[in-house]
Each structure stands twice: as structure tokens, then as C-alpha cells.
Amino acid sequence: LAPDIVLTIMGIGALLCVIWPIALSLAGPVPLAFWPLVAHLFGIGAGYGVAVLIVLMSRTPTLERGVGADRLARWHSRGGRLVVSCVVVHAVAAIATWATARRENVAMATWQVLRMPWLISATIGTILFLVVAVVSIRAARRRVRFETWHSVHLLVYLAVALGFVHQLAGPDLAGHRVVQVLWAMLYTQAFALVLIHRIVTPLRNATRHRMRVAAVVPEGQGVVSLVIEGRDLDQLHAESGQFFRWRFLTPDSWWTAHPFSLSAPPTATHMRLTVKSLGDGSGFLQRVEPGTWVVAEGPYGTMTAQRRNHRDVLLVAGGVGITPMRALFETMPLAPGQ
């Protein structure tokens, strides 16, 4: 899927989500007032946005190879800020609606809204979303270890689960069985993609290819190359310029996957990555023992020889970023004289 097609699909879905509460309002005996309409629009928009964010980070090959991991990450980051904003606006508008309708102060209105079915779980989910949003702010991320940030980010899945039943019980979906089923199918598909491509496929590949560290080769101050050996690695269809998310199965690192590019053309029995010590995770890899079992998710990335559209090619890189360029340089198809 090309980026424009993916954006079009997401836009159509967002448009349908906006039209649905407006249509319900116009079809009712009395059109919704300002605050109730805002609560409905931003609530269903946040619910749809959450499902989109999950799909963007599901590592589905169609998206990873068509859109690219870097662009998907940017979309996810921007969309995350938008979704959190929608959740906050939805909560404020819902409280304002109750306070206006019952002519009560904000504190009493908030207490009564929280006593509604599934609102406590949805509120906990909102708090978790805010925690993830705060940790993801650039200034905060610089001060947090990658492993800590990654662990906190996993709270999003719990937050989504806590808020899902509230969505089905909300006035936009309750009583509309077909819409409820379609909404549940949207979330089921999103989580199925995550389960398949982030858990099942890597475990299946680990069993099939039996990858492990064959050698750790020092390349310079704080830089090592890890040679990974395995069986039938050509079946992964990896190309120079692509990267994997590597998970080294040791007691201290098995739960964290790190993205590193291939620094040499892959073969049927070996792959190589080159790592510079820039943090706790990459520092640990300087000392990983040969024989350590490896789970690799991928390949990902679109910076391959297929991107070439001119006769001559100039490759530019700096620092440890030279690794994918080096692999590309070895395999770029050239005719005589090029």
C-alpha cells in the first residue's frame, strides 16, 4: 500500500466517524446542543484514532514495505498527540454536558459521570494514556531509558482494553447492533494484526530459522559487529538497506527489541549488524555472548536497491548510520561503466 492510499483509507474512516453522530443528532427528536455534540464527535474520533494507531504499529508487512517504518512512526507520533487531545476534550465536554443539564457544579458533575457504567475503567484508561503521552514528550524521552519508555508504552494496550467496553456502551453505539459489531470487528482486526506480526510471526521464524549469535567482532572504540547464524535465512527475503528488530534472549534483554540495520548483505546462513554503544541496550550488546539465541522481527524498511530511479547513485551517511549504506554499496546492481 502506497502512503497516499493509506492516508485516503484513514481519512474515509475518520469522515464516517464524524458523520455518524451528526446523523444521529439530526435524526433525533431534538438536535444535540453544543457540548453533547462535542462529546460525541471527539469520543468516537478518539476511539477510531486508537484503532488506527494500533494498526500503524502492528508491523504489518504491507504497511512496513509500502509506507516505511520511519513514516509510520511519524504518523503514530502525531496521531498519538491528536488522540490524547480528543480523549481529554471528550471527557471535558461530557462533564460540561452533565453539569449544564443538571445545573450542578463541575465537581459534583464529575462524580456523577464517573458513577456511570464502565466510566471508572475508561477513566483509568485515560490516565494511562496521559502517562504514556507525558513519557513520550521529547524532553522527557531524553531522560528516560529506552527500555523504560518501551515498557511504559505497552500500557497503551491496557488503556485501550479498559476503554473499549465504554465505547460499546456509549450513546453513539448502544442500541445500534450493526455498528457495534463493525466497531468490535475494527478492534479485533487491529489487535489480530499486532498478535500475528509482533508475536506469532517472530516466534515462528525463531523456531524455523534457529538464529543465534555466531561471533562478536570489535570494529573500533565502542563499536562491534554481531554475526548472526541460522538456517534458511534467505526465506526471510531480507535485502541490503533493511533492518530487523533484534531480541537477544538473555535474562536482562529478552523483553526488549532493538532496531538495527543489516551491515552486510544477508546470505542463507548469516546476517550481520553493527552496533555502537549509545545507551544501556546498545551497550549491553557490546558484551553479548556467542551462542545467545536471537529472535528477529522483520525485515523492515524500504531503503533498498528498488528505490533507485537514476543511472548513477550517491550514498551519503555519517557515523554508525553508514551500516545500511555499506550493505547497499555491496549489492547495488551496476552495469559496466556505472
Side-chain angles (χ1 to χ4, degrees), residues 18 29 43 87 92 139 142 149 151 177 181 183 199 215 252 261 270 331:
V18 170
V87 170
V92 171
R142 293 196 190 101
W149 173 84
S151 300
R177 185 57 57 85
V181 171
W183 196 261
I199 298 177
D252 297 326
S261 300
H270 290 87
T331 57

Side-chain angles (χ1 to χ4, degrees), residues 3-301:
D4 291 344
I5 295 176
V6 176
L7 287 175
T8 300
I9 294 172
M10 292 192 299
I12 292 173
L15 182 61
L16 292 175
C17 289
V18 170
I19 291 175
W20 177 248
I22 296 176
L24 288 179
S25 175
L26 296 176
V30 180
L32 292 176
F34 174 76
W35 282 116
L37 184 59
V38 169
H40 286 241
L41 287 173
F42 281 85
I44 198 168
Y48 171 74
V50 165
V52 169
L53 293 181
I54 294 174
V55 173
L56 291 180
M57 288 291 101
S58 65
R59 297 173 188 165
T60 303
T62 302
L63 293 175
E64 293 281 344
R65 295 171 185 169
V67 179
D70 53 345
R71 184 175 285 150
L72 289 172
R74 289 197 300 270
W75 289 358
H76 180 80
S77 177
R78 295 168 185 170
R81 292 192 289 268
L82 183 61
V83 166
V84 171
S85 299
C86 287
V87 170
V88 173
V89 172
H90 168 67
V92 171
I95 293 171
T97 298
W98 189 270
T100 302
R102 297 301 180 94
R103 297 181 180 179
E104 296 174 346
N105 58 51
V106 174
M108 184 58 66
T110 302
W111 170 247
Q112 293 184 354
V113 167
L114 289 176
R115 296 175 61 188
M116 293 180 179
W118 302 108
L119 256 297
I120 293 294
S121 63
T123 301
I124 296 174
T126 300
I127 294 173
L128 294 179
F129 271 122
L130 293 175
V131 170
V132 174
V134 170
V135 175
S136 299
I137 295 173
R138 186 172 301 177
R141 242 195 106 176
R142 293 196 190 101
R143 296 172 172 81
V144 176
R145 295 169 59 239
F146 173 82
E147 292 78 10
T148 303
W149 173 84
H150 183 267
S151 300
V152 172
H153 222 70
L154 294 178
L155 293 174
V156 167
Y157 296 109
L158 177 59
V160 173
L162 290 172
F164 178 67
V165 180
H166 166 62
Q167 296 175 35
L168 293 182
D172 292 316
L173 301 182
H176 306 281
R177 185 57 57 85
V178 174
V179 180
Q180 280 183 320
V181 171
L182 292 175
W183 196 261
M185 288 174 63
L186 171 65
Y187 271 78
T188 301
Q189 178 67 20
F191 275 94
L193 290 174
V194 172
L195 179 64
I196 291 171
H197 298 297
R198 299 192 67 165
I199 298 177
V200 175
T201 298
L203 290 177
R204 182 187 62 194
N205 288 340
T207 303
R208 176 183 299 172
H209 301 294
R210 310 286 290 177
M211 286 180 279
R212 61 180 181 177
V213 177
V216 180
V217 182
E219 303 286 6
Q221 183 65 35
V223 180
V224 297
S225 288
L226 281 73
V227 179
I228 310 297
E229 64 179 5
R231 303 182 307 192
D232 303 320
L233 298 181
D234 54 325
Q235 294 180 5
L236 293 171
H237 305 292
E239 300 180 55
S240 296
Q242 292 188 307
F243 70 94
F244 286 79
R245 290 183 173 92
W246 306 90
R247 192 182 302 270
F248 295 86
L249 303 185
T250 69
D252 297 326
S253 65
W254 66 268
W255 52 280
T256 304
H258 295 273
F260 292 109
S261 300
L262 297 172
S263 61
T267 69
T269 57
H270 290 87
M271 294 190 292
R272 189 182 72 186
L273 60 147
T274 302
V275 181
K276 182 177 182 179
S277 181
L278 297 172
D280 292 341
S282 55
F284 161 78
L285 296 181
Q286 310 289 311
R287 306 180 302 275
V288 69
E289 294 290 335
T292 300
W293 292 102
V294 181
V295 176
E297 303 174 32
Y300 301 122

